[in-house]
Coordinates of all heavy atoms in Angstrom, one line a residue:
Q764 N -55.5 168.9 -53.2 CA -56.2 170.0 -53.9 C -55.6 171.4 -53.4 O -55.4 171.5 -52.1 CB -57.7 170.0 -53.7 CG -58.3 168.7 -54.1 CD -58.4 168.6 -55.7 OE1 -58.2 169.7 -56.3 NE2 -58.4 167.5 -56.3
S765 N -55.3 172.2 -54.2 CA -54.7 173.4 -53.7 C -55.1 174.7 -54.4 O -56.1 174.6 -55.2 CB -53.2 173.2 -53.8 OG -52.5 174.2 -52.9
H766 N -54.5 175.8 -54.3 CA -55.0 177.0 -54.6 C -54.1 178.0 -55.3 O -52.8 178.0 -55.0 CB -55.5 177.7 -53.3 CG -56.1 176.8 -52.5 ND1 -57.5 176.2 -52.6 CD2 -55.7 176.0 -51.5 CE1 -57.7 175.4 -51.8 NE2 -56.7 175.1 -51.1
T767 N -54.6 178.8 -56.2 CA -53.7 179.6 -56.9 C -54.1 181.1 -56.7 O -53.5 182.0 -57.4 CB -53.8 179.3 -58.4 OG1 -55.2 179.4 -58.8 CG2 -53.2 177.9 -58.7
H768 N -55.1 181.3 -55.9 CA -55.5 182.6 -55.7 C -54.7 183.3 -54.5 O -55.0 184.5 -54.1 CB -57.0 182.6 -55.2 CG -57.2 182.0 -53.9 ND1 -57.2 180.6 -53.8 CD2 -57.5 182.5 -52.6 CE1 -57.4 180.3 -52.5 NE2 -57.5 181.3 -51.8
I769 N -53.6 182.8 -54.2 CA -52.8 183.2 -53.1 C -51.7 184.1 -53.5 O -51.0 183.7 -54.5 CB -52.3 182.0 -52.2 CG1 -53.4 181.2 -51.7 CG2 -51.5 182.7 -51.0 CD1 -53.0 180.0 -51.0
H770 N -51.5 185.3 -53.0 CA -50.3 186.0 -53.3 C -49.8 186.8 -52.0 O -50.6 186.9 -51.0 CB -50.5 187.0 -54.4 CG -51.3 188.3 -54.1 ND1 -52.6 188.2 -54.1 CD2 -50.9 189.4 -53.7 CE1 -53.1 189.3 -53.7 NE2 -52.2 190.1 -53.4
F771 N -48.6 187.3 -52.0 CA -48.1 187.9 -50.7 C -48.2 189.4 -51.0 O -47.6 189.9 -52.0 CB -46.6 187.4 -50.4 CG -46.5 186.0 -50.0 CD1 -46.4 185.0 -50.9 CD2 -46.6 185.7 -48.6 CE1 -46.5 183.7 -50.5 CE2 -46.5 184.5 -48.1 CZ -46.5 183.5 -49.1
N772 N -48.7 190.1 -50.1 CA -48.8 191.5 -50.0 C -47.7 192.0 -49.1 O -47.7 192.1 -48.0 CB -50.2 192.0 -49.4 CG -50.4 193.4 -49.6 OD1 -49.5 194.2 -49.8 ND2 -51.7 193.9 -49.4
T773 N -46.5 192.3 -49.8 CA -45.4 192.7 -49.1 C -45.6 194.1 -48.5 O -44.8 194.5 -47.5 CB -44.2 192.7 -50.1 OG1 -44.4 193.6 -51.2 CG2 -43.9 191.3 -50.6
S774 N -46.5 194.9 -48.9 CA -46.6 196.3 -48.3 C -47.3 196.1 -47.0 O -47.1 197.0 -46.1 CB -47.5 197.1 -49.2 OG -48.9 196.4 -49.2
V775 N -48.0 194.9 -46.6 CA -48.5 194.7 -45.3 C -47.5 194.0 -44.4 O -47.3 194.4 -43.2 CB -49.8 193.9 -45.4 CG1 -50.4 193.7 -44.0 CG2 -50.8 194.7 -46.3
C776 N -47.1 192.9 -44.9 CA -46.1 192.1 -44.1 C -45.3 191.2 -45.1 O -45.8 190.7 -46.1 CB -46.9 191.2 -43.1 SG -45.8 190.1 -42.1
N777 N -44.1 191.2 -44.8 CA -43.2 190.4 -45.8 C -43.3 189.0 -45.7 O -42.8 188.3 -46.7 CB -41.7 190.8 -45.5 CG -41.3 192.2 -45.8 OD1 -42.0 192.8 -46.6 ND2 -40.4 192.7 -45.0
S778 N -44.1 188.4 -44.9 CA -44.1 187.0 -44.8 C -45.6 186.5 -44.6 O -45.7 185.3 -44.7 CB -43.3 186.5 -43.5 OG -44.0 187.0 -42.4
Y779 N -46.6 187.3 -44.5 CA -47.9 186.8 -44.3 C -48.7 186.9 -45.7 O -48.6 187.8 -46.4 CB -48.7 187.7 -43.3 CG -48.4 187.4 -42.0 CD1 -47.2 187.8 -41.4 CD2 -49.3 186.7 -41.2 CE1 -46.9 187.5 -40.1 CE2 -49.0 186.4 -39.8 CZ -47.8 186.8 -39.3 OH -47.5 186.6 -38.0
P780 N -49.2 185.8 -46.1 CA -49.9 185.7 -47.4 C -51.3 186.3 -47.2 O -51.9 186.3 -46.2 CB -50.0 184.1 -47.7 CG -50.0 183.6 -46.4 CD -49.2 184.4 -45.5
R781 N -51.8 186.8 -48.3 CA -53.1 187.4 -48.3 C -53.9 186.7 -49.4 O -53.4 186.6 -50.5 CB -53.1 188.9 -48.6 CG -54.5 189.6 -48.5 CD -54.3 191.1 -48.5 NE -53.7 191.5 -49.8 CZ -54.5 191.8 -50.9 NH1 -55.7 191.7 -51.0 NH2 -53.7 192.2 -52.0

Side-chain angles (χ1 to χ4, degrees):
Q764 302 291 335
S765 201
H766 320 280
T767 56
H768 62 287
I769 305 172
H770 72 275
F771 288 87
N772 188 344
T773 55
S774 63
V775 177
C776 179
N777 290 332
S778 58
Y779 282 73
R781 182 170 64 88

